[in-house]
């Protein structure tokens, strides 16, 4: 499931901004065209990775043809801003998206010609055609203050059942932290930079508890970049799950140098 988009959705809705998520995972190009034609959105934001680039360029053209302002985010477009802007994107969100997108939506709702220059975290072309990069946006100071991802915006049950059919278990994904301080050359740092911010063990356990009650998953996929980066956090989190009598199989990724006997035992 597209947790990044679902975090944006819950963030915007918490501020009274209406938003609809079009989840392309189990959908089609024809369905996207119908969505655009029926709803005629003023703003269309698209999350982009290297693997979705071709489809995104096609989707941008359809959204632009319907009169929408196209906003791109995710790890891919900020590194190729000129290419995406030349192919139809109006604005690229650089870095973490919640506060930047909120400011952008408000500005666009208040003016037909918003001053993008005044909004941190954007890349766009000005009226002279030059590419402008505004100041970097300050990152969210406390992740516990963020609402949980807006899973109601998509058909999450279909993900769970698809995973069960192909892998034998109902698996659900959770993010406990954002970013990674390591400098592996193959990895993208365009969204979170080289920072690492964690939610509290109690906050993550609250989300897990709610997911277990509602969706009955067999397994959790912790989608962090480096799950065991903080040994003390892992110990506290394990203790919190045990206190709540929550025991679930899980998958995650980490680094070999962030494992020792005590961490492995805790996992």
């Amino acid at each position: 499931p597209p947790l990044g988009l679902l975090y944006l959705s819950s963030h915007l809705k918490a501020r009274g901004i209406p938003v609809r998520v079009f989840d392309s995972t189990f959908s089609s190009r024809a369905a996207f065209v119908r969505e655009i034609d029926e709803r005629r959105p003023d703003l269309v934001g698209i999350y982009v990775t290297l693997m979705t680039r071709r489809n995104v360029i096609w989707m941008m053209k359809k959204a632009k043809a319907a009169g929408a302002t196209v906003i791109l985010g995710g790890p891919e477009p900020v590194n190729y801003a000129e290419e995406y802007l030349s192919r139809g994107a109006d604005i690229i969100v650089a870095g973490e998206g919640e506060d930047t997108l909120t400011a952008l939506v408000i500005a666009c709702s208040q003016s037909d010609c918003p001053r993008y220059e005044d909004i941190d975290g954007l890349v766009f072309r000005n009226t002279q055609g030059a590419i402008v990069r505004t100041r970097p946006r300050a990152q969210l100071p406390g992740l516990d203050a963020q609402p949980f991802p807006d899973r109601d915006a998509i058909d999450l049950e279909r993900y769970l059942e698809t995973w069960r059919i192909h892998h034998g278990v109902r698996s659900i994904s959770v993010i406990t932290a954002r970013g990674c301080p390591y400098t592996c050359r193959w990895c993208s740092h365009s969204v979170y930079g080289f920072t690492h911010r964690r939610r509290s063990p109690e906050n993550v356990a609250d989300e897990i508890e709610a997911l277990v009650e509602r969706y009955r998953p067999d397994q959790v996929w912790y989608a962090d970049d480096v799950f065991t980066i903080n040994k003390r956090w892992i110990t506290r989190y394990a203790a919190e799950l045990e206190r709540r009598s929550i025991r679930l199989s899980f998958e995650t990724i980490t680094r070999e140098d962030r494992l020792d006997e005590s961490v492995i035992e805790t996992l």
Side-chain angles (χ1 to χ4, degrees):
L3 288 182
L5 290 178
L6 302 186
Y7 266 114
L8 292 176
S9 179
S10 63
H11 186 91
L12 292 172
K13 287 180 179 178
R15 284 148 184 80
I17 298 171
V19 60
R20 180 175 173 85
V21 175
F22 177 85
D23 184 8
S24 62
T25 301
F26 300 107
S27 194
S28 65
R29 288 188 171 190
F32 177 75
V33 171
R34 287 196 300 272
E35 182 86 3
I36 293 295
D37 289 344
E38 291 172 5
R39 297 191 174 273
R40 311 299 292 188
D42 297 320
L43 305 176
V44 173
I46 308 177
Y47 176 87
V48 194
T49 69
L50 170 64
M51 299 302 293
T52 62
R53 177 191 293 173
R54 290 175 183 264
N55 281 333
V56 167
I57 291 173
W58 180 89
M59 294 168 79
M60 285 197 304
K61 292 178 180 178
K62 296 299 180 181
K64 291 288 290 181
T69 296
V70 174
I71 307 162
L72 301 185
E76 164 83 353
V78 71
N79 294 318
Y80 302 95
E82 183 174 357
E83 289 86 344
Y84 279 102
L85 292 172
S86 68
R87 285 165 173 79
D90 295 296
I91 305 162
I92 293 170
V93 171
E96 202 166 39
E98 282 91 344
D99 284 345
T100 301
L101 190 57
T102 300
L104 181 58
V105 170
I106 292 173
C108 290
S109 69
Q110 294 175 343
S111 172
D112 292 334
C113 298
R115 284 184 51 82
Y116 299 142
E117 296 89 345
D118 298 334
I119 301 174
D120 294 346
L122 298 183
V123 185
F124 61 95
R125 287 191 188 275
N126 62 18
T127 54
Q128 289 76 43
I131 293 180
V132 176
R133 295 176 181 265
T134 64
R135 295 182 306 174
R137 167 80 54 177
Q139 293 179 325
L140 297 170
L143 297 182
D144 280 9
Q146 291 302 112
F148 296 153
D150 183 15
R151 294 181 175 89
D152 286 337
I154 64 171
D155 184 3
L156 188 65
E157 186 64 30
R158 188 163 183 184
Y159 284 92
L160 291 162
E161 278 302 291
T162 299
W163 200 266
R164 182 189 63 79
I165 291 168
H166 292 281
H167 301 285
V169 294
R170 288 165 58 85
S171 183
I172 200 163
S173 56
V174 173
I175 296 174
T176 77
R178 296 186 179 188
C180 174
Y182 292 98
T183 57
C184 304
R185 294 184 63 186
W186 52 267
C187 193
S188 172
H189 289 80
S190 60
V191 176
Y192 300 129
F194 293 93
T195 64
H196 182 76
R197 290 162 295 149
R198 296 210 75 96
R199 299 163 57 191
S200 69
E202 296 77 15
N203 181 257
V204 177
D206 286 344
E207 183 178 8
I208 294 294
E209 196 167 51
L211 294 175
V212 168
E213 180 177 349
R214 178 166 183 182
Y215 298 105
R216 305 299 182 195
D218 303 308
Q219 173 183 285
V220 179
W221 163 244
Y222 293 110
D224 299 10
D225 290 330
V226 186
F227 185 59
T228 65
I229 197 168
N230 187 315
K231 185 175 179 178
R232 184 185 306 171
W233 188 94
I234 288 290
T235 302
R236 287 178 55 203
Y237 181 55
E240 184 63 24
L241 291 181
E242 186 171 6
R243 186 184 71 80
R244 302 185 191 210
S245 300
I246 298 173
R247 187 173 182 85
L248 281 171
S249 298
F250 66 92
E251 289 189 52
T252 191
I253 57 174
T254 188
R255 290 170 56 97
E256 182 255 354
D257 60 1
R258 300 310 302 168
L259 292 171
D260 60 28
E261 290 301 323
S262 65
V263 171
I264 294 169
E265 180 64 28
T266 303
L267 292 174

